[in-house]
Amino acid sequence: MSVKVNCLNPIAECGLEMLTDQYEITDNLDQAQAILVRSAVMHDLDLPESLLAVARAGAGVNNIPLEKCADKGIVVFNTPGANANGVKELVIASMLLAARDITGGIQWCKDNKGDENIAKSAEKAKKAFAGTEIKGKKLGIIGLGAIGVLVANAANRLGMDVYGCDPYLSVEHALNMSRDVTMVKTNEDLFEMCDYLTVHVPLLDSTKGMFNKDAFDKMKDGVVLLNFSRDTLVNEEDLKAALESGKVGKYVVDFPNPTTVNLPNTIVTPHLGASTQESEDNCAKMAVSEIREFIENGNIKNSVNYPNVDAGVCTTDGRIAIAHKNVPNMLTRFTALFAKDNVNIENMVNKSRGDYAYTILDICSDSTDVVVKELEAMDGVIRVRVIK
Ligand code: MLT
């Protein structure tokens, strides 16, 4: 029987082409085993019992009910880094757009296209659109994940003086970052000294509204704030006051909403950060390969609600994957079941993440019907899948 995949948003064709004959794209969510999604909001969706996995072709997962999914044994993936270059390029472009009134200048040329002496008039008019250079200015980066590090390196190469803050900086990202980037301990350290601030953190309860009056008060006068993460990281009422007073010189935001589009000294783009052909292709391919790896081998890579688990390809007679609660005695009870039937466990991988855990068991038996029923009935077990 084929694995049914439902796309809640259009997903790049090159990703869908990676689905083999074992898979079938369905418009019917009720039958889906896997969902591919971009920004569609899933919080109010009725998730079908058949659903095993959701892959977000993108980084932000605030549109997906992670806890509800985990509780039903639905593994949610994202595609970290796949669209980072696209976002980086727009962040760099946005700093340049904020430094000079390039869009105002372009508009002036359009408005004056009937002027036969436009070349001469332009020389007089251009001072209204002049500005500053970004070279030598201090850039503060809040969040040095895949995007933050690329922005740091590119800004450094453009001659900016780059500072970063990330208490969760991974070894991988640290190794990829230019040594010219200066790390600071707190966001406040960045606020005090930076001419430009760019934020690259996920939207969480702990980050929502992190840019508020208190933060703006600590910033350098006339700072440029760039937000390509999520609009609700910013308290927009406080920001409006800071823009009106000139405390914040300019706000560049990739999230149009009824407030942002009416803010003074603000450049709004229509969630364009990752909307490049390359980013969409990379995200689609990564999302589909995560789904395939999970469906075909039971392995979890880049999950945001279950631990990452890699047991490779099964070389024994059978493989069982179990999503379960992270509580005492689960493994003892699993192994006791197999011992009772004299089934040898050849390999076992178990990982936990918060309240949830995931175990892959490679066994020397392919008759698993009885044991699966017993596992499913076990307290704390959320979902059991026979992979092989
Ligand atoms: C992301 O979270 O990856 C970005 O917002 C881009 C997108 O959703 O398309």
Side-chain angles (χ1 to χ4, degrees):
M1 209 173 60
S2 61
V3 176
K4 296 193 173 55
V5 181
N6 178 255
C7 300
L8 288 180
N9 295 104
I11 301 294
E13 202 49 44
C14 62
L16 299 181
E17 280 167 4
M18 286 165 56
L19 292 169
T20 57
D21 293 348
Q22 194 190 333
Y23 298 84
E24 183 192 324
I25 302 285
T26 176
D27 289 336
N28 189 352
L29 172 67
D30 293 343
Q31 293 178 357
Q33 275 93 42
I35 287 179
L36 289 165
V37 63
R38 288 189 59 188
S39 303
V41 177
M42 294 179 62
H43 289 282
D44 294 330
L45 279 187
D46 282 333
L47 302 173
E49 283 306 311
S50 55
L51 192 62
L52 302 171
V54 175
R56 158 79 162 103
V61 284
N62 54 307
N63 54 324
I64 306 171
L66 301 183
E67 185 70 22
K68 179 170 142 191
C69 286
D71 215 39
K72 287 171 166 271
I74 300 165
V75 179
V76 181
F77 302 87
N78 71 349
T79 59
N83 57 23
N85 192 65
V87 180
K88 171 205 83 181
E89 289 189 7
L90 199 60
V91 171
I92 298 294
S94 300
M95 282 196 282
L96 298 168
L97 289 174
R100 315 187 199 191
D101 190 6
I102 300 170
T103 48
I106 294 170
Q107 191 57 46
W108 182 89
C109 290
K110 281 191 183 153
D111 294 345
N112 290 277
K113 64 183 176 197
D115 179 358
E116 290 210 344
N117 292 316
I118 189 164
K120 205 169 161 199
S121 317
E123 291 308 315
K124 275 195 196 156
K126 69 181 182 187
K127 60 177 176 298
F129 313 113
T132 53
E133 298 179 15
I134 60 170
K135 185 178 176 193
K137 302 295 184 300
K138 288 189 168 65
L139 169 66
I141 305 177
I142 297 146
L144 291 159
I147 298 171
V149 166
L150 289 188
V151 172
N153 293 347
N156 176 250
R157 285 195 289 270
L158 287 168
M160 295 189 87
D161 205 359
V162 184
Y163 297 82
C165 181
D166 190 339
Y168 309 104
L169 178 66
S170 71
V171 173
E172 184 201 345
H173 291 135
L175 287 172
N176 286 333
M177 190 164 62
S178 159
R179 286 175 189 201
D180 292 331
V181 176
T182 308
M183 293 299 288
V184 299
K185 286 212 169 73
T186 66
N187 292 341
E188 284 70 23
D189 296 331
L190 299 177
F191 295 168
E192 274 164 27
M193 62 175 165
C194 290
D195 308 294
Y196 290 80
L197 287 169
T198 184
V199 55
H200 300 286
V201 299
L203 176 65
L204 306 169
D205 286 344
S206 56
T207 57
K208 194 172 179 186
M210 65 187 277
F211 292 93
N212 53 19
K213 181 174 182 325
D214 191 38
F216 297 133
D217 285 348
K218 291 179 181 135
M219 290 179 194
K220 205 168 158 180
D221 289 345
V223 65
V224 175
L225 178 63
L226 307 148
N227 180 0
F228 286 78
S229 292
R230 287 295 177 263
D231 51 356
T232 43
L233 293 170
V234 175
N235 178 322
E236 288 167 350
E237 209 180 305
D238 292 355
L239 173 66
K240 186 165 184 273
L243 284 162
E244 279 165 356
S245 73
K247 181 71 193 172
V248 174
K250 207 154 265 177
Y251 182 48
V252 189
V253 59
D254 202 21
F255 304 98
N257 68 36
T259 306
T260 56
V261 291
N262 286 300
L263 287 171
N265 295 327
T266 296
I267 299 170
V268 192
T269 46
H271 199 194
L272 278 183
S275 291
T276 62
Q277 185 68 58
E278 293 86 344
S279 286
E280 289 184 10
D281 288 356
N282 290 341
C283 286
K285 287 195 261 186
M286 196 188 279
V288 169
S289 66
E290 289 163 351
I291 293 279
R292 283 195 56 187
E293 187 58 31
F294 180 65
I295 296 288
E296 293 166 35
N297 295 316
N299 294 323
I300 300 181
K301 186 169 182 201
N302 294 329
S303 175
V304 287
N305 67 345
Y306 269 89
N308 289 332
V309 177
D310 185 359
V313 175
C314 178
T315 52
T316 62
D317 294 332
R319 171 173 287 184
I320 293 177
I322 311 165
H324 55 96
K325 292 272 173 64
N326 182 22
V327 291
N329 278 326
M330 295 304 298
L331 295 185
T332 320
R333 287 189 285 148
F334 295 159
T335 51
L337 264 189
F338 291 95
K340 180 171 65 79
D341 292 345
N342 208 25
V343 172
N344 190 36
I345 298 172
E346 296 263 327
N347 300 300
M348 179 168 79
V349 191
N350 164 270
K351 290 269 176 63
S352 67
R353 177 181 181 140
D355 292 338
Y356 300 94
Y358 188 77
T359 300
I360 293 179
L361 296 151
D362 283 353
I363 52 176
C364 277
S365 167
D366 55 7
S367 64
T368 48
D369 292 358
V370 177
V371 84
V372 165
K373 283 205 171 62
E374 288 174 317
L375 284 167
E376 282 172 340
M378 204 180 266
D379 211 27
V381 167
I382 299 172
R383 193 191 284 266
V384 182
R385 281 174 65 215
V386 177
I387 308 290
K388 182 181 172 189

